[in-house]
């Protein structure tokens, strides 16, 4: 299984003979360097580039190309080498782009010799940089690992090699560029196709075709690209097969740009979504439907007078590097609901990636500063005096510069995500919306089950104001546990046990009300077990509106009755499904999904009831019976490890903000915030009343 890395993440390598595949969309120069255990390259003999492409265990391409395959044999490199850096640089020859921000995000994959992809990394977040350390292979305690680096350099290959400790960096970069330029000079354009007699006769009878090269200047600023939440452009529109050079062709085997892929005069493509392109300025007529906008046609010069100078190419707003305003539903999907769901998850992934990149950059700056300070302190001559102070000051300045650069990139991404959140949040349907969203005031019971339901918000400490909706797919695949225990609260503001239990029960009612509201009438039933009656006040909205399947069960007898009926239901449905006869259920069987809310567990539960509860938690979700427990795990400590599988099977939620949720992708600790009903709002009563009315009409 391929491991998809983010910046700063590492992964062990199971093989020593590898192939590093690079896809950049535009020609790039591939270089590799060896470094010792201190991270320094010893000299030019430890650098492979197009002018010197082979070293023991390393081989790179002799030419700039959009796709590269680097051969690496970690068992053959010198013993003194502990690290292999793979570098990418934009060639200065050929008149192509001069910064990575103008091209698609480079993609790097490390594969085995059989082509099996081990790890992959998409290098995002580059702008003015023209050279970048893509990945590094390093040896740690005898084992090799790969790390996604993505460190860019605006000074090009020379600055990058200098940072690796090479004193002859300028000469090496010049040798690489010279080899690339010589290769370009030797390249030969693809010859035009041979024309047969039949082709000649067909061309003679066909009307003349417009020159596609002429369409480039009249379609600047048009776009047919899609956007991606992975920080890179996806779905790039391009012709299905390369066209040979000819009239209007590029001469290198690539097709001329036309309406489906327009190239401005600067040589870069507008990758924005067509709907994100701003409207033309007021007073300027819009182009006809189906035709991209372009610069106005130049008037002809009067006879005998020189032609007027050509106007500057028209560039639509947004080409200055400012991101276009986001739109709601800008994601894949068959419906707006699915597109919004995918867009929210894309925002979550974007926030996780950019935060991981920032934290990795800060860690890199810290480790680099510590290494530089250690080098200063290891030399007795530089420990004291002006030389040592200057070295320490330089290390601190470089550390501050790296951290500031990382923070600036993070702030840029956070601002873009905040803009997107401000656009997406008001467009969310009721199932995805907060309780304070106006969509609830026009609520009507849905006719279909939605894809997901919102159970709260998630945010990271780098920007607590940027909250991502926590959407959980329906039907629920696991039960919910509303923790009424002692949460992490530095000010001990929730130390009172009664207050914690009240907040937990109110949160459970809010979750249950949302689940009731997003299901069609008659397709979701709610049962409550409240042995001591301590949750009566919080349960009042559900009881008054009559949306419960029955009154809350009290005492041990009531709990046993509800558990027995739901356990029987699970058994019946399981037998019908396993027997291949799902339609053979008893007449009058309620096929709606069921939710059981249990308050004050384990009060009022004997051993048999505890066993039934565990059975419902394990087997219920597969047949439409879900569990929501409001409990403090310490209250059930007397059962010992017997209940550990029960707690693990439930998703833990808290009634107050708490950073207990972690994603297995990059390992961030996300702060969870429950969906709180605004104080004094009647939205809960309004929604539950509407549900009760719809159920009465449905049962008639």
């Amino acid at each position: 299984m391929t491991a998809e890395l983010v910046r700063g993440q590492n992964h062990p390598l199971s093989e020593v003979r590898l192939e590093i595949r690079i896809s950049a969309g535009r020609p790039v120069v591939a270089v590799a360097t060896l470094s010792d255990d201190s991270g320094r390259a010893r000299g030019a003999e430890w650098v492979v580039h197009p002018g010197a492409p082979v070293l023991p265990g390393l081989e790179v391409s002799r030419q700039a190309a959009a796709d590269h395959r680097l051969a690496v044999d970690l068992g053959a490199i010198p013993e003194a080498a502990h690290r292999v850096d793979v570098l990418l640089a934009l060639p200065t020859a050929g008149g192509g782009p001069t910064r990575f921000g103008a091209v698609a995000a480079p993609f790097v994959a490390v594969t085995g010799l059989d082509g099996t992809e081990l790890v992959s990394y998409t290098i995002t977040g580059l702008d003015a940089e023209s050279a970048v350390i893509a990945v590094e292979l390093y040896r740690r305690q005898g084992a090799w690992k790969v790390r996604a680096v993505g460190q860019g350099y605006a000074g090009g290959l020379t600055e990058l090699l200098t940072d690796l400790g090479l004193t002859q960096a300028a000469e090496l970069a010049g040798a690489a560029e010279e080899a690339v330029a010589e290769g370009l000079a030797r390249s030969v354009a693809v010859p035009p196709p041979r024309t047969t007699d039949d082709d000649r006769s067909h061309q003679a009878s066909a009307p003349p075709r417009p020159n596609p090269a002429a369409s480039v200047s009249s379609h600047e600023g048009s776009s047919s690209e899609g956007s991606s939440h992975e920080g890179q452009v996806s779905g790039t529109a391009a012709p299905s097969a390369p066209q040979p050079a000819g009239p209007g062709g590029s001469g290198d085997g690539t097709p001329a740009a036309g309406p489906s892929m327009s190239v401005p005069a600067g040589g870069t493509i507008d990758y924005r979504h067509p709907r994100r392109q701003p409207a033309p300025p007021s007073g300027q007529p819009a182009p006809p439907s189906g035709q991209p906008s372009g610069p106005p046609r130049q008037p002809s010069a009067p006879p005998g007078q020189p032609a007027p100078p050509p106007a500057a190419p028209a560039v639509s707003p947004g080409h200055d590097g400012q991101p276009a305003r986001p739109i709601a539903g800008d994601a894949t999907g068959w419906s707006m609901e699915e597109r919004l769901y995918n867009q929210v998850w894309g925002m979550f992934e974007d926030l996780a990636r950019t935060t991981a990149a920032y934290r990795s950059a800060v860690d890199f700056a810290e480790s680099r500063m510590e290494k530089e300070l250690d080098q200063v302190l290891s030399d007795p001559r530089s420990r004291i005096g002006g030389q040592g102070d200057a070295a320490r000051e330089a290390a601190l300045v470089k550390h501050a510069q790296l951290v500031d650069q990382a923070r600036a990139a993070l702030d840029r991404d956070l601002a873009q995500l905040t803009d997107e959140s401000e656009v997406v949040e008001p467009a969310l349907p009721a199932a995805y919306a907060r309780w304070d969203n106006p969509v609830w005031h026009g609520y009507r019971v849905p006719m279909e089950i939605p894809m997901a339901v919102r159970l709260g918000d998630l945010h990271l400490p780098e920007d607590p104001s940027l909250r991502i909706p926590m959407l959980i797919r329906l039907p629920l695949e696991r039960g919910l546990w509303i923790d009424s225990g002692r949460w992490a609260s530095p000010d001990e503001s929730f130390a009172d046990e009664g207050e914690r239990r009240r907040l937990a029960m109110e949160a459970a009612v809010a979750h249950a009300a949302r689940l009731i509201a997003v299901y069609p009438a008659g397709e979701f039933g709610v049962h409550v077990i409240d042995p001591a009656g301590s949750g009566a006040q919080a349960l009042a909205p559900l009881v008054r509106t009559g949306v419960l399947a029955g009154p809350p069960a009290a005492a041990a007898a009531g709990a046993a009755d509800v558990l027995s009926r739901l356990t029987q239901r699970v058994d019946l449905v399981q037998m019908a499904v396993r027997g291949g006869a799902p339609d053979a259920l008893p007449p009058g069987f309620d096929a709606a999904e069921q939710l059981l809310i249990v308050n004050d567990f384990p009060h009022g539960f004997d051993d048999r009831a505890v066993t039934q509860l565990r059975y419902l938690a394990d087997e219920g979700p597969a047949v439409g019976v879900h569990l929501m427990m409001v409990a403090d795990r310490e209250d059930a400590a007397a059962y010992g490890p017997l209940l550990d599988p029960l707690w693990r099977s439930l998703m833990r939620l808290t009634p107050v903000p708490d950073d207990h949720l972690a994603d297995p992708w990059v390992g961030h600790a996300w702060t969870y915030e429950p969906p709180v009903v605004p104080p004094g709002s009647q939205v809960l009563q309004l929604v539950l009343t509407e549900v009760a009315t719809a159920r009465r009409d449905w049962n008639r």
Side-chain angles (χ1 to χ4, degrees), residues 242-318:
Q243 300 295 326
S250 62
D252 59 353
T254 59
S260 64
M261 185 174 69
S262 57
V263 183
T268 58
I269 299 174
D270 182 6
Y271 284 100
R272 296 174 302 151
H273 194 283
R275 290 175 296 174
R276 293 191 176 187
Q277 297 184 14
S282 59
Q284 178 180 339
S289 176
Q291 297 182 9
S293 60
R297 185 182 299 276
Q298 296 297 313
S300 302
Q305 296 186 13
V315 180
S316 61

Side-chain angles (χ1 to χ4, degrees), residues 105-163:
F107 176 79
V108 182
V110 180
T111 71
L113 293 183
D114 58 352
T116 302
E117 195 170 290
L118 306 177
V119 300
S120 65
Y121 170 45
T122 302
I123 309 173
T124 59
L126 299 178
D127 187 11
E129 298 87 346
S130 57
V132 61
I133 302 177
V135 296
E136 65 178 17
L137 315 178
Y138 63 98
R139 180 159 42 196
R140 183 69 53 84
Q141 298 179 349
W144 285 92
K145 295 184 177 182
V146 58
R147 176 184 286 118
V149 181
Q151 178 66 43
Y153 294 81
L157 193 57
T158 301
E159 182 184 356
L160 192 160
L161 295 176
T162 302
D163 197 46

Side-chain angles (χ1 to χ4, degrees), residues 188-213:
V188 179
V190 178
R194 299 179 63 182
T195 307
T196 63
D197 294 339
D198 292 339
D199 294 333
R200 293 191 185 98
S201 61
H202 177 73
Q203 292 174 1
S205 60
R209 298 176 58 187
N211 187 354

